[in-house]
Amino acid sequence: MATGVRLVCGASLLSRRFKGLRAGYVLLRKHSSCDVAIVGGGIVGLASARELIQRHPKLTYILLEKEKKLAFHQSGHNSGVIHSGIYYTPGSLKAKLCVRGAELSYAYCEKKGIPYKRCGKGLMALDSPQTGIVDWREVALSYAKEFSEMGGIIKTQFEATDFQITKESSEGCTDGLKYPITIRSLKGAAVRCSYVVTCGGLYSDRLSQKSGCSREPRIVPFRGDYLVLKPEKHYLVKGNIYPVPDPKFPFLGVHFTPRMNGSVWLGPNAVLAFKREGYNVFDFDLHDFTDAVSYSGVQKLVLKNVAFGVKEMYRGIFIHAQVKQLQRYIPDLTVNDVMRGPSGVRAQALDRNGNLVDDFVFDGGSGAIGSRVLHVRNAPSPAATSSLAIGEIIADEAETKFNL
């Protein structure tokens, strides 16, 4: 747990010193210019902005985010696990352990003193004592603080809706050669820049399309509904418990996650959401819905996984079905021990053949705009845990593409 504690303490200290991110926000004039614009204020966008400004501090930067707050939706999964770099060999129980103290154990429950008559149906457990938990929102805000302190500008409530070539004659603008790309917002504000990096998450395909680049792979939103363990039952969970993932799906499966505030989240399921930011069961957006069901990739995905999809929807509706899955790991758990919790939405990239994309996807395009834009189309889980490393990869890509 020590690794997690050190990181959390560091993030909290940075957050306290920052005295509110609003101090770092700069209100834009009707037009503003910079060398590099980063679109998307989630943890990947913030990590990328932080890495770029550290590498090239003489350039000017602005980060654009459409929400009022950075990093996470309020009901999103803001606290999570620092994973330990463990790689499973497909078809076997062997694993390459890349973290101090990790070991395969046949007597995990006995070793941890877990008071169960039985300890799930697993043959063994992989014990990783250096794995910890963090509040990812605090980590993301610390990235924002460092970016701002080095001169980066953060602008919220800027929903990028269009990418255009800067016109020299437009409203007295004379810097079209230096800042050839103009990003316009839904409210009419504009930012001129030399290069653009988009980390749009749930909207990465639409941002790509708006810049004249390919829309594929498309983004399909999957909502995950969590249960919360009642406080008097916290003794049942001694630490993070994760199943071995099913290689057919890029989802973690049901797991047990203690959080920084002392609560314990259980789950989630994985169901197709009818709204890209549909954090509630009955959230619906006609544009998002028709966009999804009309896509051949979604149609093929549904046909190939009808049984899986029905089971996941059933578990989302009926708590006892979700608990039954959880009992595979903690048999003493009952329906009376849990209550409904929050939900999160995963931005899952999907190709036209119905295949879930489980690797990084970076692309841009050709021409005056496409050659100056780098789109981060897919940053697979665990993106938060790997955000610093992902930021380095994105910075590498930007340096190569833009010749920084």
Side-chain angles (χ1 to χ4, degrees):
M1 195 70 77
T3 301
V5 171
R6 285 198 294 271
L7 180 53
V8 173
C9 290
S12 298
L13 180 60
L14 289 172
S15 180
R16 286 196 298 270
R17 288 179 179 175
F18 197 21
K19 295 182 180 179
L21 277 174
R22 291 185 180 179
Y25 295 163
V26 176
L27 295 177
L28 295 178
R29 302 182 299 273
K30 190 170 184 180
H31 295 293
S32 182
S33 302
C34 64
D35 294 313
V36 181
I38 300 95
V39 180
I43 196 167
V44 171
L46 288 165
S48 303
R50 171 186 175 275
E51 181 68 23
L52 282 166
I53 201 170
Q54 286 184 340
R55 292 190 188 188
H56 303 280
K58 293 183 179 180
L59 299 179
T60 55
Y61 300 84
I62 187 169
L63 184 142
L64 306 172
E65 164 59 29
K66 72 185 186 71
E67 302 290 346
K68 294 181 180 179
K69 296 182 180 180
L70 290 175
F72 296 95
H73 188 281
Q74 186 174 359
S75 61
H77 193 170
N78 292 351
S79 176
V81 178
I82 301 178
H83 296 281
S84 349
I86 299 164
Y87 304 91
Y88 292 92
T89 303
S92 76
L93 290 176
K94 296 180 180 179
K96 179 181 179 182
L97 308 182
C98 303
V99 67
R100 184 182 61 195
E103 62 178 0
L104 288 169
S105 172
Y106 287 90
Y108 177 79
C109 294
E110 180 181 350
K111 178 179 177 181
K112 293 296 183 182
I114 299 176
Y116 307 135
K117 297 178 181 178
R118 296 173 295 137
C119 185
K121 297 181 180 179
L123 296 176
M124 65 171 62
L126 180 61
D127 184 15
S128 177
Q130 299 301 313
T131 292
I133 59 174
V134 301
D135 185 328
W136 291 116
R137 186 174 187 277
E138 290 297 310
V139 174
L141 293 181
S142 74
Y143 294 169
K145 175 183 184 295
E146 294 181 10
F147 175 70
S148 296
E149 286 183 337
M150 294 190 68
I153 296 173
I154 296 175
K155 173 60 180 175
T156 61
Q157 301 186 64
F158 189 106
E159 181 175 353
T161 58
D162 197 15
F163 299 83
Q164 302 173 347
I165 296 297
T166 301
K167 297 179 181 179
E168 288 284 356
S169 60
S170 175
E171 300 182 32
C173 173
T174 59
D175 57 1
L177 293 178
K178 185 175 182 181
Y179 305 112
I181 306 299
T182 296
I183 308 172
R184 295 195 178 277
S185 77
L186 186 64
K187 297 181 179 180
V191 169
R192 296 192 175 98
C193 58
S194 299
Y195 305 105
V196 183
V197 177
T198 73
C199 300
L202 286 162
Y203 299 95
S204 61
D205 55 343
R206 293 179 182 174
L207 286 172
S208 180
Q209 185 180 41
K210 288 174 181 177
S211 69
C213 301
S214 172
R215 195 178 172 187
E216 294 198 10
R218 298 275 279 273
I219 293 299
V220 180
F222 280 88
R223 191 185 69 255
D225 303 310
Y226 286 88
L227 300 177
V228 175
L229 193 62
K230 292 181 179 179
E232 63 270 22
K233 293 293 183 175
H234 284 180
Y235 70 89
L236 289 171
V237 179
K238 298 290 186 177
N240 301 293
I241 302 174
Y242 278 67
V244 176
D246 184 340
K248 294 185 296 183
F249 302 102
F251 308 116
L252 291 172
V254 294
H255 48 277
F256 301 73
T257 306
R259 291 168 55 83
M260 294 301 298
N261 63 3
S263 64
V264 179
W265 285 14
L266 316 175
N269 61 341
V271 296
L272 184 64
F274 297 139
K275 183 179 180 181
R276 293 211 175 192
E277 292 181 88
Y279 294 94
N280 299 310
V281 174
F282 299 108
D283 282 351
F284 179 85
D285 182 90
L286 182 60
H287 179 206
D288 291 346
F289 175 74
T290 56
D291 189 35
V293 298
S294 63
Y295 180 50
S296 62
V298 172
Q299 296 167 6
K300 293 175 182 178
L301 176 68
V302 171
L303 289 175
K304 289 189 295 186
N305 300 282
V306 172
F308 175 83
V310 170
K311 289 180 181 178
E312 292 297 292
M313 292 179 66
Y314 183 81
R315 290 202 297 119
I317 297 172
F318 300 101
I319 290 181
H320 72 85
Q322 184 106 323
V323 170
K324 186 176 181 179
Q325 287 287 99
L326 295 163
Q327 287 173 335
R328 298 175 61 191
Y329 310 99
I330 298 184
D332 287 2
L333 189 71
T334 70
V335 173
N336 295 327
D337 298 334
V338 302
M339 52 190 173
R340 291 194 182 276
S343 301
V345 179
R346 176 193 180 104
Q348 177 60 54
L350 182 72
D351 67 23
R352 65 177 59 191
N353 295 318
N355 299 314
L356 300 170
V357 180
D358 59 0
D359 201 355
F360 293 98
V361 178
F362 307 101
D363 68 13
S366 58
I369 294 181
S371 61
R372 290 178 173 270
V373 178
L374 173 64
H375 294 294
V376 180
R377 304 296 302 277
N378 192 46
S381 179
T385 302
S386 306
S387 56
L388 289 174
I390 293 173
E392 293 176 0
I393 294 172
I394 293 171
D396 290 342
E397 293 282 336
E399 287 178 334
T400 301
K401 184 174 178 62
F402 305 145
N403 194 27
L404 296 179

